[in-house]
Amino acid sequence: MTQQELTVLNLGQSLDDLANLDPRGYGVCKILYKASREYTGGPTCMNAAQRLVDTVKEGDFVYVMTGFVLRPFKKAETDGIISSMLLCRALVKAFNAKPILICPQENYEAVKNMAPVVGLHLFEDIQDLREIPVSMGVVVYTKDTDKAAAQADEIIANMPPSAVISIECPGANEIGVYHNAIGLDVTALEAKQDVLFEKLQKMGVLNIAIGDLGNEIGMGAIRDTLEKYIPYARKGACRCDCKSGLAAKTAADNLITATVSDWGCYAMIAALAYLLGNMDIMHSEKLEKDAIMTASNSGMIDMYGWLVPAIDGFDLKINLPIVTLMREMVKSALSLRETCKTWFEKVEELHYFG
């Protein structure tokens, strides 16, 4: 194993560990991570980042899918939309790509308000997106099951992507029912974006999914773990008439799980920054704060329904340090390559890492 390979392994694991910190102490993130790590065969964030580096080229369209609408409020939550917008920025910084954020109508106001915060021009017109640099697109996706496939075909025909990344995006179970975290039916509230995700997956498009419970697109990849350990996931355990559980059917090829889906996305962005040797790809603490505040001020709610600047119950006091630690780890790994070379050689001599 080379010094670079050892760094990629251990930095990736450290970023995964940060994304899976468990302030609540309830252990769900640890259960999910064990399964997603085994599924991936290595650090999940670094795997996804490397796949993007190997795939995405300048000018490529990349779909970023998000948007979980919560009952009874009928508003979209902060988790997902915040990291999705920061990821759009990162994709432009990293590849000069053309990210297209796909979301339900409830996210649109936040997308419009957050685009200038992350420094990007926002367009709905495909020609403008093609021609204007430092830009991103937005598409509002249908909630009508009967229209979902046709809209997917139209989007793909007009803007064929090199990758699709789903972050905290609702995924239907095996009979087409969408659930919230406590096993209630939210099918009518959610955009049917898994139809688009599955079409792209069948086409061989690079696909990455990020989730934190099991009811999100892509989490079907660890279905056995969900049904065994996650409340309301197995058949008969949900609290609605479908009796088929909240576990999403769609199984992503590349999976990241985290305590908070946004944290999993931040870990992937940090891994991208390392692989490409560009710290500017990873957003700053100030930008994190600005993004959270803007999302909240645009009507996005915390998972408990509060109109406050928080993500899944965690306010700025936790979210900002998470970004700080991820940034500092990448910065250290990039700046101390030569300084720590001798130590890498000594570790390699002992063959602990195979």
Side-chain angles (χ1 to χ4, degrees):
M1 185 177 290
T2 66
Q3 178 175 339
Q4 172 67 4
E5 290 169 339
L6 188 58
T7 303
V8 166
L9 173 65
N10 289 322
L11 176 62
Q13 188 62 62
S14 293
L15 291 170
D16 277 5
D17 290 343
L18 276 177
N20 285 277
L21 289 177
D22 190 7
R24 304 184 189 101
Y26 69 172
V28 169
C29 52
K30 306 303 181 184
I31 295 168
L32 297 178
Y33 182 68
K34 183 177 186 294
S36 62
R37 179 67 159 76
E38 291 175 356
Y39 179 75
T40 303
T44 61
C45 67
M46 195 64 76
N47 167 71
Q50 186 64 64
R51 296 300 177 93
L52 289 170
V53 170
D54 293 342
T55 303
V56 180
K57 304 295 187 291
E58 182 173 358
D60 281 1
F61 293 121
V62 178
Y63 296 175
V64 179
M65 300 168 52
T66 195
F68 220 119
V69 181
L70 304 185
R71 59 177 292 181
F73 311 97
K74 298 183 180 180
K75 292 178 178 287
E77 66 171 320
T78 50
D79 190 21
I81 189 61
I82 293 170
S83 66
S84 290
M85 293 299 296
L86 293 165
L87 176 60
C88 287
R89 172 191 177 274
L91 291 168
V92 175
K93 291 279 186 180
F95 308 111
N96 198 20
K98 297 289 185 180
I100 299 169
L101 197 139
I102 301 173
C103 62
Q105 182 65 48
E106 287 84 350
N107 283 121
Y108 181 81
E109 185 70 15
V111 174
K112 184 177 68 174
N113 293 337
M114 293 173 74
V117 172
V118 301
L120 299 180
H121 302 276
L122 181 67
F123 297 107
E124 295 182 49
D125 186 276
I126 182 61
Q127 196 57 37
D128 288 335
L129 180 59
R130 289 182 188 276
E131 294 176 358
I132 307 298
V134 195
S135 62
M136 63 173 287
V138 61
V139 173
V140 173
Y141 207 79
T142 184
K143 297 182 180 184
D144 188 335
T145 302
D146 294 334
K147 297 179 180 178
Q151 186 179 12
D153 291 339
E154 180 182 2
I155 294 170
I156 294 169
N158 291 331
M159 303 172 287
S162 62
V164 57
I165 306 161
S166 171
I167 309 163
E168 189 66 14
C169 199
N173 68 9
E174 61 182 6
I175 64 169
V177 178
Y178 298 75
H179 293 81
N180 65 8
I182 57 173
L184 297 174
D185 186 346
V186 291
T187 304
L189 295 177
E190 310 304 343
K192 308 305 184 283
Q193 297 183 64
D194 39 5
V195 174
L196 174 58
F197 190 96
E198 290 175 354
K199 281 180 176 285
L200 293 168
Q201 187 177 33
K202 289 177 181 178
M203 292 168 59
V205 173
L206 171 65
N207 59 89
I208 298 165
I210 304 175
D212 60 24
L213 183 67
N215 56 343
E216 306 94 350
I217 289 174
M219 295 291 281
I222 55 171
R223 184 182 183 88
D224 289 346
T225 293
L226 299 179
E227 293 186 341
K228 187 173 183 179
Y229 295 114
I230 302 303
Y232 313 115
R234 70 181 182 277
K235 290 183 179 180
C238 59
R239 299 166 63 198
C240 73
D241 293 336
C242 88
K243 303 303 180 186
S244 292
L246 65 72
K249 178 189 70 172
T250 307
D253 294 332
N254 300 279
L255 186 65
I256 295 174
T257 60
T259 305
V260 175
S261 292
D262 278 348
W263 296 359
C265 186
Y266 298 162
M268 182 178 71
I269 294 171
L272 266 179
Y274 174 76
L275 292 174
L276 295 175
N278 180 0
M279 279 302 303
D280 196 35
I281 292 170
M282 180 65 184
H283 59 283
S284 67
E285 298 88 339
K286 181 182 183 305
L287 187 50
E288 171 76 3
K289 180 179 180 180
D290 291 346
I292 292 175
M293 296 300 296
T294 304
S296 179
N297 290 337
S298 300
M300 304 297 95
I301 59 175
D302 181 44
M303 75 172 182
Y304 300 115
W306 291 91
L307 277 163
V308 294
I311 309 173
D312 275 5
F314 302 121
D315 62 17
L316 298 175
K317 293 177 183 177
I318 291 185
N319 285 289
L320 298 189
I322 290 286
V323 172
T324 299
L325 286 168
M326 288 183 179
R327 280 186 59 85
E328 290 304 313
M329 287 198 311
V330 173
K331 188 185 298 182
S332 295
L334 289 172
S335 64
L336 297 177
R337 282 173 174 165
E338 290 302 315
T339 304
C340 295
K341 186 174 182 180
T342 299
W343 289 102
F344 278 97
E345 292 172 353
K346 295 301 181 184
V347 170
E348 275 295 282
E349 286 176 9
L350 301 175
H351 302 294
Y352 178 84
F353 294 95

